[in-house]
Structures are given as C-alpha cells and as structure tokens.
Amino acid sequence: MKLSSQDDIVNSLKSIGIFSSLSHEKLQCLVNDCKEISLEGGEILFREGDLGDSMFVVLSGALSVEKENTMIAHRSQGDHFGEMTLIEGKPRSATLIAISKSRVLEIGKDQFQIHFASNPQVLMTVLKTVSERAREDLVALDQGMRILRSEKKTNAGLKDLLNDTLNEIYIFDSETYHFIKMNSRALRNLGYEKGEIAQMSPFDVIAYTTKEFFVELTKPLRAGKKQEVVYKGEHQRKDGSTYPVEIHFKLQTTETPPVFVGIAQDMSQVQELEDKNSNLTFYDSLTGLPNKKLILEHLNSELATENRKNKSIAVLLLDLDDFKVINDSMGLQAGDKILKTVTERLLNWAPPDCRVGRYGGDEFIVILSGINFETEAAKAASELLRLIYGPFPLCEQEVFVTISIGLSYHPLDGHEGEILIKHAETAMHSAKENGKNTYRHYISDMEDQAKNKLTLEQDLRNAVEREQFELYYQPKLDLDSETIIGFEALVRWNHPRRGVVSPMEFIPLAEKTRLINPLGEWVLRTACQQIKTWQDMGLPFITIAVNLSAHQFNQSELVETIIETLKDIEIHPEYLELEITESVLMENTENAADQLRQLNSLGIKISIDDFGTGYSSLNYLNSFPLNNLKVDRAFVKDITSEKDATLAKAIVSLANALNLKTIAEGVETEVQKEVLRSIGCNIIQGYLLSKPLPADEATQLISSS
C-alpha cells in the first residue's frame, strides 16, 4: 500500500530536473509501477557492493552516502541516485543510510529502460545530473581533507593535550593500573560501555603490551626524571580490530593516590597521509596505480624469479587515441575523469597474476605473468579494446574512447624489463599507424617498417602530383523506395610497385603530411565530374558523398574552392553531399557553424559521419545546418533483433526529433537491413548492397537499377 497519494508524488517529481520532460500521464504511469519505501533513522537502504538494479528518488527526509563508515555526501528531498549502477551494470559504490525518518521512491531497471534509457534527451539529462552531483561530492571531500590537514596542524601545536577533546583520554590507578575513567571519545573509539572498564587496564586495550611493560615504561615518571613519556603502538577495540595511536603518559601527583593519565591520538588518518606521501614515489597521484618506476621494478622482479620454466610474461602498452584533442577541447578535468574511468575498468577487468600501472600521460601498462603468449595475451588485448570502447559520460557530452595496444613477450622479445617495454611501445606505435583502436605484436622488422614508411611518404607526394588515385563508389539504398539514391566516394591508391595501397595506410599519412588537402581537392573534383558524366548520359540524378578531413575543413578557402569546382564542372550543388566527423565539428564550433551555413545555403547536403563514436554535445545538432546522421558500423554489426539495436534506435529517434535522416553503414545481412527498417532508419549502405565499385561498374549498377 502506498504511503502517500500518487498525485502528491507525481507533483513532487515534476520539480526534479530529470523528470521535468516527462508528461503528467507518463509520470503517473511511472509512479504506479514503482515501489515506495519507508525508512527509519539509521536503517540501511543498500550497502556498497550490492547489485544495483534500481535507482531512488528522495520524497522526504535525508540519507547519508557512506564509504567505509565515513559520510561522503548527503541526499535530501528531491535528490536522486543509483542511476549509474543501472547504466554501467556494476555493484553499488557506496552505502546509503537514512539519517532521519525518510521515504524514497524505488525505480526499477525496467521502468528506467522505458522512461529514461529509450529517451536520448532524458538520458542526457540524467548523465549531466550525475556528473554535476559527482563534482559537488568531490568538492565536499576536498573541503573535508583541508579541514583534516588544518586540524592535524592545530593538534601538533597544542601544549596541553588534556584540553584536546579530539583525543582519547583515560585515567588509571598508578598501583593496580585499573582504569578509573575514560572520556566519551575513548569509549566510543574502543567500543566499550562505561560500566565495562572498571576491571580493565591499559594493557587490555593497547595491543601487544603487558603489566611488566608498563612498569618499565612509567619508571621515569615515578622517579620524576620525565614529565611525560610517549608510546606509539596500536589500540585494540572490543571487537578485536586495531588502529594506530600515539599515547602521551603523565603522572598526576596532585591526586591522592597519584594516577596516570594517558592521552591517545588516533593516527589512522595521519598514517594514511604519510603512506600517501611515501607512495608518491611509486604510485600515480591521479589514478593510484603503480607508476613507471614501480611497474618496471615489478617487471624486472618477475623476470628475475627463478624456476620460471614453461611460463612467460606479456607486456601490453596501452595508449588512448587522440587524447590530446579531448584535453584541448573539453579541458583537463574531463581528461582526468576519463583517465580515472579507464583505471576503474582496467582494475575491474584484471585477472590473477596481472599488474596494471600508469606508464605516463595517457599511457597504461598491463603485465600478464605465467601465460601462453600465443593465445592468452592476444585474447587479453582484444578484451581490453572492447573494455575501453564504451561511452564516457561528461556533463552534456558523451565520449567514446579507443586505445592502441602494443604487445611484447618474454622470452621471445627480450629478457630485460626496459627492452620489453621499449618493444611494446614500438608495437603500439605500429597499431596507431594501422588505424588505431587495434593491437599489434612486436616483430623484429618493425624498425625496417619505420624506414619503409618514410619511403611511402615520398611515394605519396609523387602520387598526388601524378594523380595515381582512383575513386570507388559504394551505393546507398533508400529503405522506403528500395532504390539507389546515391554513392559514397572512396579513394584508392594504385601504387606502381606495391599495387593497391589500403586507405587505412595512406590516409593517416596524408593527414599527417598535409597532403590530404591537394588529395581532397582531387577527390572533390573527380566526384563532381562523375556526377556530370552520369547526368550527361541521361542516368537518374544521383548524389555523391565526399568525406572532408579536419585539415580540409579548417581551410579558410574551403567554401570558395567548392563553389569554383561546382561552377567549373556545371553541376547543381544539391547533388553533392559532404561527410564530416563529429570531432572535426567540435574542434572549432564557431568556424564550423559559419562554414556549414555557407555550404548549406548553396544547397549542399551535410552528413555527420560515424555519429556516436566521438565526443560531442547534443547542442551542436541544433546549432549546425545538417541533413543526415550516419550510424557507425559499430552500432550495426551485432544487430540480430530490435533488442540488440538500442544505440542505433536512440540515434534514429534523435535524428527524427531533429528532422534529420539516418544512414546506417556496414550493413551486411538481410536481418540487419530489416531491423534497421523496423526502427525507422532511412538509408543503408554496406556489402549487402555492394562493395565499393570503380566508376564503370557503378555506372552499370545505376543503369540496371
């Protein structure tokens, strides 16, 4: 039975940000399907580590967010929490305890999927709220640490420790050593009631001590040689647990008979800070992982271990792709949050006999011991690629991060830690050069490959001058009319000695050397000439999409170049489509908006390529004049039913809301095609229709269709 009326709860939810976009009817439906929970003060809602299959909204009262019996945040009426457990599928990260009598609304996983996960706008609001709340909690923790450091400094300067009520104080008989009195802090910290201490002595609560020890310790006080003696050890609580203390003992001779006074300071936090400072030499301050120095020591220690027969070591060096772009465009705090999230994912993944460290900057290192390097290391690398490739929610933006991994092995690739890491780094650079988001094993001729790359760069310069390139065309199918409505132009390099060179090999090189600009102009002109050729042949008017690189898009004369090309070849702008990635738009949003408005005013169609795989803000979708969103093949390849198409469906829904069309890439099966049709996707392209075709075969395809 509900503890309050449904209408009261619905009205209270309307004032909360993440619910404000839901209609009154949907809120009624949500509340009706959810459970209302009443808590007494001190009652636990859930514990750290519990499976998280619900989120909660505080209807009244207040709750404490605690880790290791320490309050780290406060939740009161109108607050909500637990969303990230539903999104990430991970256990609870903290314990929630009612401070006073409270009521909360429990929203289950099914209701969250229906009302939040399926609605991109609402989901983005949830992620933004969670991120802001996390920042507030971090600020609170930082303030707490400053207070702690301030208290420590104050305590150190106090001359009269007896007046320091933050310490434990106990008085015991100078002959029997029985306790006479304890202050409330000592009783609370040790876990005893006042009536339990009468027959107890200090050696009952100070671990590893005896009466004989105390006789020796207090001799200087009895003899008047010292006013105070100090002992560092451990207090033992009633439950058997211990904590470090520093105890100052004095003999109070003004009492009859004389008594000993012990003033104990709990050193747990001080020791924690000292350990933290000493760990700075060996541990990364941001992630807490072993740093380069410690991980190398671990690796060399492993290599020096005797009796390593039939065992090997794999070194995996991970580097985040394009991390500098994220730092430059979104700020260092966003970059730090990504590094911390990557750390969490690596630690949650790490199998036994595995060490994880931060090698520096955006590089992480994983050391796997006692494995079959031919199978297990490659499997681990594949798992890490999938592990890292996932959404990183940052305020209103969602970042998809990829990594490049280099692998080396002992004993195959070396017997010293420095050599193995160096070889793993060489392999990692090879992975980056081969398109990123992949892994490479170290091979001895990688140095030769670096030399070959220099040769290839010179060949590429010659190829641009001699026009050794050819355009291939991949068709696009309209799912409503089942007709081919356009092509995407894809460049191929016919090398005179090497044959066809993969775009994955020469496009990154062209971008790095800025040869992408003359190459891009050639692609644009050739695609426009093909449009003109087909129109002169009397074939149906077909649109051709051309990809623009970041370097091309940032050219001040881009618009002028395109206008001149269209004018020279005499084709209408509506048959040209330009594909631009999210990252290109987000690098310089003001300049991008101006360029796109000029192009759009001409009638040229604009598509966002690989949508959802980069970092972006949904705001730009409204800011820029766009026509299409291209659903990346990563969201298409595993679709076997509408249930598997959650992300693709979210993109389609978002596009529909903004009056944009969606184009799905990488469609290879009829099942994928039909699922995409069922979720409202407009256009598809992929090997199901055709591989990219040379101009003559593309012409035949248009003619026959």
Side-chain angles (χ1 to χ4, degrees):
M1 181 177 178
K2 300 284 184 186
L3 299 177
S4 60
S5 73
Q6 187 184 75
D7 286 339
D8 288 341
I9 297 176
V10 168
N11 290 331
S12 66
L13 292 183
K14 286 181 180 179
S15 62
I16 301 174
I18 67 168
F19 299 93
S20 59
S21 58
L22 298 178
S23 66
H24 186 82
E25 292 73 22
K26 287 187 176 181
L27 283 174
Q28 285 182 318
C29 179
L30 173 66
V31 171
N32 190 57
D33 291 339
C34 293
K35 180 182 177 182
E36 185 177 331
I37 299 174
S38 179
L39 299 168
E40 298 295 328
E43 190 173 353
I44 295 174
L45 179 61
F46 57 74
R47 298 181 184 275
E48 181 178 357
D50 288 351
L51 291 178
D53 52 2
S54 301
M55 65 171 283
F56 301 88
V57 182
V58 182
L59 300 176
S60 65
L63 293 93
S64 170
V65 184
E66 298 189 2
K67 286 182 74 72
E68 300 177 355
N69 299 320
T70 301
M71 179 175 173
I72 62 172
H74 179 274
R75 301 286 178 256
S76 55
Q77 184 175 358
D79 287 336
H80 51 90
F81 50 88
E83 309 92 330
M84 291 309 298
T85 342
L86 293 176
I87 296 172
E88 294 180 340
K90 293 183 179 179
R92 303 289 187 189
S93 59
T95 298
L96 265 290
I97 304 175
I99 298 174
S100 58
K101 190 169 184 178
S102 306
R103 292 185 300 112
V104 297
L105 183 69
E106 181 180 13
I107 301 176
K109 186 175 184 179
D110 291 340
Q111 285 72 40
F112 184 85
Q113 289 288 339
I114 293 170
H115 297 286
F116 296 88
S118 61
N119 187 325
Q121 181 181 354
V122 177
L123 185 57
M124 289 304 297
T125 305
V126 171
L127 294 175
K128 177 182 177 182
T129 305
V130 170
S131 176
E132 291 174 346
R133 191 170 62 213
R135 283 200 300 273
E136 292 171 358
D137 292 346
L138 286 172
V139 170
L141 282 172
D142 182 60
Q143 291 173 342
M145 289 301 295
R146 285 200 297 270
I147 292 171
L148 173 64
R149 286 192 290 269
S150 174
E151 289 177 346
K152 178 187 172 186
K153 183 177 179 181
T154 302
N155 292 342
L158 289 177
K159 296 180 180 179
D160 187 359
L161 294 175
L162 280 170
N163 294 330
D164 187 355
T165 57
L166 292 175
N167 292 325
E168 302 172 23
I169 302 175
Y170 40 74
I171 301 171
F172 54 97
D173 189 276
S174 61
E175 298 298 328
T176 66
Y177 289 92
H178 288 163
F179 285 127
I180 298 172
K181 188 176 182 181
M182 274 191 191
N183 71 349
S184 58
R185 180 170 290 275
L187 290 168
R188 184 168 63 251
N189 287 2
L190 291 167
Y192 288 103
E193 298 294 333
K194 188 182 293 185
E196 295 181 279
I197 65 168
Q199 296 303 311
M200 295 176 61
S201 306
F203 35 90
D204 292 320
V205 298
I206 303 176
Y208 318 116
T209 57
T210 62
K211 184 174 182 180
E212 290 72 24
F213 168 82
F214 267 92
V215 170
E216 288 299 317
L217 180 69
T218 56
K219 267 186 179 180
L221 298 178
R222 293 180 186 277
K225 294 180 179 180
K226 289 186 178 181
Q227 295 292 314
E228 178 181 273
V229 293
V230 180
Y231 174 72
K232 293 183 179 181
E234 291 183 342
H235 268 173
Q236 182 170 313
R237 299 184 182 92
K238 183 179 180 180
D239 62 11
S241 61
T242 61
Y243 57 98
V245 289
E246 180 178 290
I247 313 171
H248 295 249
F249 291 102
K250 294 183 178 183
L251 180 62
Q252 195 75 19
T253 55
T254 56
E255 296 291 322
T256 305
V259 295
F260 285 114
V261 178
I263 304 102
Q265 181 182 9
D266 185 347
M267 302 298 289
S268 300
Q269 293 170 329
V270 174
Q271 183 172 302
E272 202 174 292
L273 289 172
E274 289 175 350
D275 291 343
K276 201 168 185 180
N277 289 334
S278 64
N279 284 344
L280 289 177
T281 307
F282 297 105
Y283 291 89
D284 174 56
S285 59
L286 177 67
T287 64
L289 292 175
N291 61 16
K292 182 177 182 178
K293 182 176 181 179
L294 183 57
I295 207 74
L296 182 59
E297 286 188 11
H298 286 321
L299 178 55
N300 283 326
S301 176
E302 286 283 322
L303 293 168
T305 303
E306 295 180 356
N307 302 320
R308 296 197 51 81
K309 292 182 180 179
N310 302 319
K311 297 180 81 176
S312 62
I313 295 176
V315 176
L316 289 76
L317 192 66
L318 292 62
D319 187 271
L320 303 186
D321 297 328
D322 302 319
F323 188 69
K324 185 178 184 299
V325 177
I326 297 174
N327 266 339
D328 291 345
S329 60
M330 303 177 69
L332 295 178
Q333 285 186 336
D336 286 350
K337 186 171 183 180
I338 288 175
L339 292 173
K340 290 178 181 178
T341 305
V342 169
T343 300
E344 291 174 6
R345 294 183 185 181
L346 290 175
L347 292 176
N348 289 334
W349 164 86
D353 294 326
C354 171
R355 293 188 184 275
V356 177
R358 185 181 180 195
Y359 197 65
D362 57 352
E363 291 183 335
F364 293 83
I365 191 167
V366 173
I367 298 175
L368 298 171
S369 301
I371 64 165
N372 182 325
F373 62 80
E374 292 181 347
T375 56
E376 294 178 63
K379 179 183 177 184
S382 297
E383 290 176 354
L384 288 170
L385 291 175
R386 292 192 296 271
L387 176 79
I388 302 302
Y389 182 81
F392 289 74
L394 297 171
C395 301
E396 296 181 358
Q397 307 185 46
E398 195 168 68
V399 177
F400 283 79
V401 174
T402 61
I403 56 172
S404 298
I405 306 176
L407 295 91
S408 66
Y409 310 105
H410 165 81
L412 183 65
D413 300 321
H415 300 276
E416 298 178 7
E418 293 86 346
I419 297 298
L420 289 172
I421 292 175
K422 178 185 175 184
H423 287 168
E425 190 169 10
T426 299
M428 181 270 291
H429 287 302
S430 175
K432 284 203 176 286
E433 292 165 4
N434 282 273
K436 304 176 184 177
N437 193 26
T438 187
Y439 68 89
R440 286 289 182 270
H441 302 274
Y442 172 78
I443 53 178
S444 57
D445 64 350
M446 279 183 170
E447 286 80 4
D448 295 333
Q449 291 177 3
K451 295 177 183 177
N452 291 336
K453 183 184 171 186
L454 293 176
T455 303
L456 185 64
E457 181 178 329
Q458 185 56 49
D459 289 348
L460 182 60
R461 293 183 186 278
N462 295 334
V464 172
E465 295 172 4
R466 298 168 187 173
E467 296 189 357
Q468 293 174 351
F469 298 98
E470 181 181 2
L471 282 191
Y472 277 53
Y473 302 90
Q474 187 169 41
K476 299 178 182 179
L477 182 77
D478 183 272
L479 288 176
D480 287 335
S481 63
E482 288 285 341
T483 58
I484 293 173
I485 59 168
F487 289 87
E488 179 179 357
L490 302 167
V491 65
R492 299 290 185 265
W493 180 11
N494 297 313
H495 194 284
R497 295 187 310 278
R498 299 172 182 241
V500 176
V501 182
S502 168
M504 299 294 288
E505 187 174 0
F506 73 82
I507 291 295
L509 185 59
E511 290 179 338
K512 181 180 178 181
T513 58
R514 299 298 176 97
L515 292 171
I516 196 69
N517 292 333
L519 177 58
E521 289 182 20
W522 178 87
V523 170
L524 175 67
R525 179 167 290 274
T526 304
C528 290
Q529 287 171 340
Q530 189 60 61
I531 295 172
K532 178 64 172 174
T533 299
W534 285 336
Q535 292 178 358
D536 290 344
M537 292 173 64
L539 295 176
F541 284 12
I542 292 293
T543 299
I544 293 183
V546 174
N547 290 278
L548 289 183
S549 73
H551 292 305
Q552 287 177 275
F553 194 72
N554 289 329
Q555 285 184 298
S556 58
E557 66 272 17
L558 173 66
V559 176
E560 183 180 344
T561 299
I562 293 174
I563 292 174
E564 288 180 0
T565 301
L566 294 171
K567 185 177 179 181
D568 290 346
I569 300 174
E570 298 180 338
I571 63 168
H572 197 279
E574 68 178 302
Y575 300 112
L576 176 64
E577 181 180 336
L578 299 176
E579 293 189 3
I580 307 164
T581 62
E582 294 175 271
S583 58
V584 171
L585 292 181
M586 297 306 296
E587 282 181 18
N588 188 342
T589 54
E590 186 174 339
N591 178 61
D594 183 58
Q595 298 262 54
L596 292 183
R597 289 190 192 99
Q598 293 182 62
L599 294 170
N600 184 259
S601 66
L602 298 173
I604 296 172
K605 296 181 176 65
I606 308 294
S607 295
I608 301 301
D609 197 13
D610 303 333
F611 181 76
T613 63
Y615 59 96
S616 61
S617 168
L618 292 181
N619 290 333
Y620 84 82
L621 294 178
N622 277 325
S623 304
F624 299 146
L626 306 173
N627 301 98
N628 307 311
L629 295 184
K630 296 198 74 175
V631 182
D632 186 74
R633 63 185 67 247
F635 303 132
V636 173
K637 65 178 181 178
D638 295 326
I639 289 178
T640 57
S641 67
E642 191 167 332
K643 183 180 178 182
D644 303 319
T646 304
L647 291 175
K649 189 175 182 180
I651 294 173
V652 171
S653 299
L654 182 62
N656 288 341
L658 297 169
N659 295 317
L660 303 176
K661 288 190 175 183
T662 45
I663 304 170
E665 298 180 288
V667 180
E668 297 181 357
T669 67
E670 284 288 344
V671 172
Q672 292 170 342
K673 174 184 174 182
E674 292 308 316
V675 172
L676 289 165
R677 188 201 303 275
S678 71
I679 65 175
C681 183
N682 306 110
I683 301 164
I684 63 170
Q685 69 179 90
Y687 274 39
L688 177 64
L689 304 178
S690 171
K691 63 181 181 180
L693 302 170
D696 56 346
E697 293 183 30
T699 302
Q700 292 176 19
L701 181 63
I702 301 172
S703 301
S704 62
S705 64

